[in-house]
Each structure stands twice: as C-alpha cells, then as structure tokens.
Amino acid sequence: HTFLDSAKSCDKTSFYCGQQHEGKETHLYEYLDEVDDELICHICLQPLLKPMDTPCGHTYCFYCLSNFLKDQDFCPVDRQYLEFEQCRPSSLLVRNLLDKLTVMCPHYAECQQQMQRCELQPHLHNRCPAFRRLKEEAEKRKRPSWNELKGRRGDGGMTGDAKLSATLSRNPTRDQPEPGLINPAFEESEEDNTPLRSSLVAETIVVELLREEPEQDLGLRIVGGKNTPLGNIVIQEIIRDSIAACDGRLAPGDHILEVNDVSLASVPHSRAIAVLRHPSLVRLTVMQEKGFNPQCNTHCNQTPVLHVTLVKSHRSEPLGIKLIRKSEFSGVVILDLLPGGLAAKDGKLRNNDKVLAINGHDLRHGTPESAAHIIQTSEMRVNFVVMRTADTVEDGGNVREGQHARARRAPDPQYFRRQSTYIKDPPSGFSFQEKNVSLKKEPRHSLGITIAGGRDCRSRLPVYITSVQPVGCLHREGYIKRGDILLSINGVDLTQLTYKEAVSVLKAETAQSQVELCVIQTHSEDPEEDSESSNKDEVVYTEDPREDHHNWTPQWTRWLGLPSHMHWCRDIVLQKTNNESWGFSIVGGYEESHGQQQPFFIKTIVPGTPAHFDGRLKCGDEIVAVNGATTVGMKNNSLIPMLKLQKNRVTLTVVSWPGTLV
C-alpha cells in the first residue's frame, strides 16, 4: 500500500490505520515481514482484521465476511451454506498474534517509526506529527457547528435562540451551542479582564465496538432522547472492564449522533436503546468535547494533568511503581513508589496520581495488568500522563504549589442520605400513577416477584420489581408489572428501607392470607417508551441484582416520571480559584412560550474544568437547588447569573438516576 502524503486530501483517511480507504472497508497496513498464510484472509488476501470463524472452520476479516454474505449465502472457500449470525470472533490467541505483527507508520518518511499493529492507532493520535497535522486540517474542514447539529436533531431542539444569538455575537470565536443550552461552562466573566480560554475544541469521531456474544453489553450507560429535556443521546458512564472501557476512546459526556449510519438526532430514548443493543458490530459516530483549546491559557486553574517521562538505564530496569485499582472509579492509580526506585528518585510522580495514559495507550479505563505490560515492553523512555487531584499530598504532608487554594473535598456524611424536599412535577411528557392491589392467597404461596434497589444500593434507588413470575398469584391478576416501584405492603412503608430490610418485610407480610400492595407506575407520552416497559417477563432474575450490571433495571426515562418525594438528593460542592467557568452546561427551566416547567438537567461536563475534576456530577443529573435556593419555577435565563455570582464555591443539590445500560 502506498504511503499517504500530507498534501493529499484527508477526506478518506482512516483515523484508525492512517491510510485512505472507504469507511466500511478493512484497514490498510504496511507490514515489515512476511505473514504466515494461516493469518491471511481468503477474501482480501491481507492479514486478518477482527477475525471471524465460520462453523466450517475458516477465518475471514469481519468486514470482508459481512460484505460477502450480503450478496451470497455460502462460505467463500468450501461453499457450504453460511449465515453471518453463525460466525463467532476468533480466539484471543489468534487476535493477539495478529496484534503483534510489525507495521510501519504510513508517514514513515517523516516519523521513522515501526511498531506492533495494535500500537499504530495510539501512535498516530499521540506521537505522529504528520498524522496530527492531517487530522487538524480535516477537523477544521469537517467539524460540525452546533447549528448543524441542531439541524440533524430536527424537532429535538429547545428554545432560547434569541438569547444565545446575542451571547454568541459577543463571543464570535466560540462554537455555537445548541438552542436552549445554558452554558455556565462557557460564559465569560464581565469583571475579568484577563484573556479567557477562547474556545472549546469539539470533534466528531467514529468508534467501532464488537460484541463477542450477541447479548453482551457494550458497557455504556445512556441518558437523553428527543422525548426528554436533554434532546441528544449522551453517554453518562462507562462500565469498568466492559467492551467500551477496553476500547478506551469513548468517555462520559460524548453525544452519540449515529449508530451504524442510523441517526439518533430525533429519536426517543427507547428507540436509541434498541438500535444500540441489536448488532454485533456497533459503529458509533460521536461528538466529543475535548476541553478548551490548548493554545489558550490552560494553566489558569492549575489543571492537575501532568506529563512525566522516566528514562531507564536499560530496557528491563523496573520503575519501582505499584499500581492498583480503586473501587470508587475506573482506571489505574499509583499506590506507592518504592524507595530507591527510578520513579521515586525522579520525584515527579506521587502516590494517588491517576494514570491517564502510558506511552500513548489510553488507560482511563485500563487495568494495573495492562499498564504493567506497557511499561515492561517499552523502550528506554516511559511517558506518563497522570491526573493529580487537589487532595493529593506528598508523604511529607506538603501540598504542591498552586494547589493550596483548592480545598480538599471532605467526606460528605449526607452523601445520598436526604429525601428531596423540593416539590416539583415530573418533566413534560412523563407522569406517575399510584395503584393499590388487594388479594387473598394461601399463606405458603409466593407472590411470585423479585425485587432490586433499596436505599443502600449505589444510586439509592427505591425498591422496584424486576420480574413477575408466571407461577405467582400477582401474575394471574396482571395488576403488577416489571418496573413498578413498591411503596408499601400491608401498610408497612418500603420507601426508606435497604434491600435486605425490604426482603425481610416482604417475606413476613406475604405469609399472611390477605396482602395489600401499594405501587407507583410511571408513564411516558411516547408510545415506544410505554410499550418497552410493558414487555413480558421472559427472563427469571437473581434475587440480589443490586450491583450486577447484567440484571434488568428500568430505563433511565422511567425514573423521570417518579414524584419528587421519591427522589433522594445529594449536595455537590464545587470550588475554583479564579474566574474560570464551572464546567457544565444545562438544559431546562420555565419556558414562557410553551407555558411549561422543565427541570434543569446537566447536559455536558467539559474536560479540564472544576466539574470534570470533581468527578461527581454526571450527564443527566437533575439540579433541584443552587446554594439551597430551589430551581423549581426558575426561567432558563435566570440560572446563569445565579451561578456567575458564585465566585469560588457553589453547592448544587442534584438528583442522579442511573442511565440505561447497553
């Protein structure tokens, strides 16, 4: 394959292999050595990419085979009948052998680099100057403005165009936000005469994720949809050790624009979930906020992201670093620096630093084992990118210069411990209904339901029904459905109980011959949402699914219909040291044109800002108060001044529901 020239058009340049080809064709590589025939695809006659095994014992590239079977129904080699659904990804051993094939950078004439095939993509994106130049040129030509995104969303847009037009006319260098978006992240301070970080860097990327099993989760929690105030489909969370986490390119806050060329611009939440859950190969087109332009003043807030290079005296020299994982967040953390080791002598890395990348390999969702492997196989130089939180203290107890102004976040004893006292209606399009069910039964007969939730689970959810078994008396009556929230049984309140307490109460009360249940059922005006919730319970679930991500939970939109007295709040205190922005954008508020009140939701959290480094706010969180003052009834153009008045500290009272897992 010919090398790319920087003068060529980058329209068809793959951001994965660095060479030019159509989007649905296999990636191209320049291999240094002859490749064993057993590792060659019989369709493209190139080394296998995403190898797939057929039941008849042959192996092809994923794209080659899928494209071939669109027109044919047999194996290309022995012509036996074949459907793509019968094929499975090759073994890990085969994939590892392919990943280790040595290739040249397509810009070898400029960067002079050779590497394993699996290392080419991080090399291109992090170390290759020629590819970086091409990428920047392509982004300048192709980067969609927020106005273009609005056009793709169709009727999913919000109001507030006039206000935003006036704001943008004062700030012409900024990418235009979507109509209706309140942006405390991007607002300039009128009293600050220092140059502000001038613009946000946003880019559109394509990420391909491959399920090895048809029912396997990608590991994404999703919020949003055209039937919600958020409008867009937004990634709320990446599940540890999942397909998405291992890939490493997606991040919370990414907006999913397309899935396998199907636009998500104007679809309800349930439709987006169905599109994401179906195929084996998922090709996501996402909009990512990359934080503020690095050419601007990136150190005005003492951003604790550091680049540290350790140079070994010989390739096998250990660095003297112990790495661990912590339960409260994903990724790799430095536990300890061994006395006398290379890292300890260098003095730049510290205990509790979070490792973001090593030698260009993204480790935001990595493991200590993968990090250790990268270090052990590296050459003389090992490049670390680490994030240092404000409460990272040296062994001697001295806080690094510039961090003293960022107060340490003390443990919050009220973390998710407070019921909401802010009375408000559900968002427009969502509602709830209380139902009382009374039935007589034999004392030894089961109700036939399984439950999850409880105020001790991760998200402090109310107790809800995960399945209604066909052998139970409740299934025969048909009044109770999966996803219903349990309020009480025989007058015993269940809303404040832990999971184990709720199980104990249910067992005791169902021993009676007369049982009275009170439940809440939530509803959406969107017919697809309601049809999704009323599906039959075809799966039997485990009894304790609270922390098991593979068990059923209601979709994110189901929680929106709950009454406010069922919400549990948490206070999040953000702090900053100057006139920088807080780092999040908001949708919602009272709209005079429609005469309706929508709650305020977090839509975007910008990298490199106080909200991002604090780490507790999530996309889809609902803001019910600011510094104790309720946001209920507030207009969408009144919250910006309230937030701008808070110079160094703000307390946000939020309700956080888990996004839908796909």
Side-chain angles (χ1 to χ4, degrees):
H1 308 297
T2 58
F3 296 138
L4 283 176
D5 187 283
S6 59
K8 289 183 179 179
S9 166
C10 346
D11 291 342
K12 296 183 180 180
T13 300
S14 167
F15 279 10
Y16 195 93
C17 67
Q19 301 214 35
Q20 288 188 329
H21 60 79
E22 295 293 339
K24 296 184 180 181
E25 294 178 354
T26 53
H27 299 297
L28 306 177
Y29 297 92
E30 184 73 15
Y31 296 93
L32 287 183
D33 306 310
E34 288 293 324
V35 179
D36 191 293
D37 287 343
E38 299 296 324
L39 298 178
I40 298 295
C41 172
H42 291 289
I43 297 177
C44 67
L45 303 180
Q46 294 292 319
L48 291 156
L49 292 166
K50 295 184 177 177
M52 299 290 289
D53 294 337
T54 67
C56 51
H58 300 102
T59 305
Y60 306 95
C61 299
F62 179 94
Y63 278 133
C64 294
L65 184 60
S66 61
N67 289 335
F68 180 86
L69 292 178
K70 287 178 181 177
D71 300 318
Q72 308 294 340
D73 61 355
F74 54 82
C75 172
V77 172
D78 59 18
R79 302 183 71 84
Q80 290 190 33
Y81 176 76
L82 180 64
E83 293 182 352
F84 189 75
E85 289 71 19
Q86 299 173 315
C87 305
R88 291 290 179 265
S90 298
S91 69
L92 183 61
L93 174 62
V94 172
R95 285 178 280 162
N96 286 342
L97 289 173
L98 290 163
D99 283 342
K100 291 180 179 179
L101 294 175
T102 305
V103 300
M104 284 195 297
C105 174
H107 308 284
Y108 184 82
E110 183 169 342
C111 75
Q112 301 290 307
Q113 291 294 311
Q114 305 171 3
M115 65 217 72
Q116 293 181 350
R117 192 174 79 177
C118 62
E119 296 176 345
L120 179 60
Q121 186 191 18
H123 162 78
L124 291 172
H125 288 266
N126 297 290
R127 298 187 294 279
C128 180
F131 184 80
R132 187 180 301 117
R133 191 165 56 249
L134 280 176
K135 185 178 176 183
E136 290 173 354
E137 292 171 0
E139 287 174 359
K140 287 179 182 177
R141 293 198 306 271
K142 297 175 116 178
R143 184 181 302 151
S145 67
W146 285 105
N147 270 352
E148 289 172 336
L149 285 181
K150 171 195 171 186
R152 298 178 74 176
R153 284 178 53 195
D155 61 354
M158 304 292 289
T159 62
D161 299 82
K163 174 185 74 68
L164 282 164
S165 298
T167 303
L168 292 167
S169 66
R170 297 194 299 270
N171 305 298
T173 61
R174 303 226 175 117
D175 289 332
Q176 293 192 5
E178 294 177 73
L181 209 62
I182 299 177
N183 289 314
F186 319 141
E187 288 290 320
E188 294 187 18
S189 170
E190 298 173 357
E191 301 174 4
D192 185 11
N193 295 321
T194 60
L196 187 71
R197 295 165 289 179
S198 64
S199 64
L200 284 165
V201 179
E203 67 176 23
T204 304
I205 67 168
V206 177
V207 175
E208 293 178 351
L209 303 176
L210 178 63
R211 289 183 170 98
E212 296 188 3
E213 299 295 336
E215 301 301 321
Q216 188 176 11
D217 290 326
L218 297 176
L220 304 175
R221 288 197 179 276
I222 304 297
V223 297
K226 79 164 188 179
N227 56 327
T228 74
L230 289 180
N232 288 356
I233 299 296
V234 185
I235 297 176
Q236 181 195 62
E237 185 180 357
I238 308 288
I239 303 301
R240 174 184 286 186
D241 296 330
S242 64
I243 297 173
C246 294
D247 179 86
R249 287 174 288 173
L250 296 174
D254 290 354
H255 291 218
I256 303 179
L257 307 179
E258 293 180 355
V259 179
N260 293 355
D261 300 323
V262 176
S263 174
L264 299 188
S266 298
V267 302
H269 185 83
S270 60
R271 173 59 182 159
I273 298 305
V275 172
L276 283 161
R277 282 177 173 167
H278 177 65
S280 296
L281 178 70
V282 182
R283 186 183 305 106
L284 304 175
T285 303
V286 301
M287 170 68 75
Q288 291 188 323
E289 295 284 7
K290 294 298 185 181
F292 289 99
N293 192 321
Q295 296 179 349
C296 307
N297 182 15
T298 58
H299 299 289
C300 64
N301 66 336
Q302 297 91 39
T303 300
V305 175
L306 307 177
H307 297 258
V308 177
T309 299
L310 301 179
V311 182
K312 299 185 282 189
S313 58
H314 53 85
R315 182 171 179 175
S316 60
E317 180 184 8
L319 301 183
I321 299 175
K322 287 185 177 180
L323 301 171
I324 64 165
R325 302 180 71 170
K326 292 190 174 180
S327 59
E328 60 267 28
F329 52 78
S330 61
V332 181
V333 175
I334 295 178
L335 172 66
D336 194 17
L337 304 178
L338 301 182
L342 181 59
K345 290 178 181 177
D346 179 79
K348 294 177 183 176
L349 294 175
R350 299 186 191 172
N351 297 351
N352 295 320
D353 282 353
K354 181 173 181 180
V355 180
L356 304 180
I358 299 177
N359 286 352
H361 294 270
D362 191 326
L363 290 169
R364 289 173 299 169
H365 303 283
T367 64
E369 294 77 17
S370 60
H373 176 74
I374 295 169
I375 294 172
Q376 291 165 4
T377 58
S378 65
E379 300 296 333
M380 309 295 281
R381 298 170 66 87
V382 185
N383 301 304
F384 286 83
V385 180
V386 300
M387 184 173 74
R388 183 164 299 162
T389 57
D391 55 355
T392 299
V393 181
E394 293 184 272
D395 291 338
N398 295 321
V399 181
R400 190 175 181 87
E401 181 181 358
Q403 291 183 344
H404 63 278
R406 285 183 179 269
R408 238 183 282 177
R409 191 173 75 217
D412 183 3
Q414 298 303 313
Y415 180 80
F416 269 115
R417 295 289 182 183
R418 180 158 55 85
Q419 255 190 295
S420 175
T421 56
Y422 303 97
I423 305 302
K424 54 186 176 54
D425 294 326
S428 176
F430 297 91
S431 60
F432 65 90
Q433 176 186 6
E434 285 194 17
K435 293 185 68 175
N436 292 293
V437 177
S438 179
L439 64 139
K440 293 183 178 181
K441 54 179 282 297
E442 294 296 326
R444 293 186 179 182
H445 285 185
S446 168
L447 288 178
I449 60 174
T450 57
I451 65 169
R455 296 308 190 179
D456 58 332
C457 69
R458 180 184 173 194
S459 297
R460 302 303 189 267
L461 300 173
V463 176
Y464 61 92
I465 296 173
T466 59
S467 70
V468 182
Q469 306 296 340
V471 295
C473 50
L474 283 175
H475 182 271
R476 292 193 303 270
E477 299 293 337
Y479 295 126
I480 301 296
K481 297 179 180 179
R482 182 173 66 170
D484 288 354
I485 308 298
L486 282 169
L487 298 181
S488 66
I489 180 169
N490 290 345
V492 180
D493 186 8
L494 301 173
T495 60
Q496 311 302 318
L497 302 185
T498 66
Y499 174 79
K500 288 184 178 179
E501 291 170 343
V503 169
S504 297
V505 171
L506 285 170
K507 286 182 177 179
E509 296 301 323
T510 53
Q512 310 295 324
S513 57
Q514 179 79 24
V515 176
E516 293 188 3
L517 285 174
C518 182
V519 302
I520 284 184
Q521 294 181 342
T522 56
H523 303 280
S524 169
E525 291 178 0
D526 189 282
E528 290 190 53
E529 298 281 351
D530 268 342
S531 64
E532 181 77 17
S533 68
S534 60
N535 287 341
K536 298 293 183 182
D537 300 304
E538 65 277 356
V539 181
V540 177
Y541 300 89
T542 59
E543 288 192 359
D544 189 356
R546 292 171 298 154
E547 301 302 330
D548 183 353
H549 294 295
H550 298 285
N551 283 281
W552 184 87
T553 56
Q555 290 188 2
W556 175 74
T557 48
R558 289 286 131 199
W559 301 115
L560 301 185
L562 284 179
S564 54
H565 67 83
M566 297 295 295
H567 297 187
W568 276 46
C569 299
R570 67 189 291 197
D571 290 336
I572 295 177
V573 179
L574 299 181
Q575 301 186 62
K576 59 181 182 177
T577 58
N578 48 37
N579 285 321
E580 63 180 318
S581 60
W582 291 114
F584 56 88
S585 62
I586 301 172
V587 290
Y590 178 73
E591 299 176 1
E592 291 184 351
S593 58
H594 293 79
Q596 65 181 17
Q597 168 68 40
Q598 293 282 21
F600 287 102
F601 287 91
I602 299 287
K603 183 161 189 178
T604 303
I605 297 174
V606 182
T609 60
H612 172 256
F613 288 120
D614 179 85
R616 291 177 291 175
L617 276 181
K618 295 187 295 185
C619 296
D621 284 359
E622 181 183 343
I623 299 179
V624 297
V626 176
N627 289 346
T630 180
T631 60
V632 178
M634 187 178 293
K635 295 181 181 178
N636 53 21
N637 60 357
S638 300
L639 196 55
I640 290 179
M642 177 182 290
L643 289 164
K644 288 177 69 175
L645 285 173
Q646 319 309 316
K647 296 299 182 184
N648 303 111
R649 177 186 174 96
V650 66
T651 300
L652 303 176
T653 304
V654 303
V655 175
S656 185
W657 301 114
T660 307
L661 180 64
V662 294

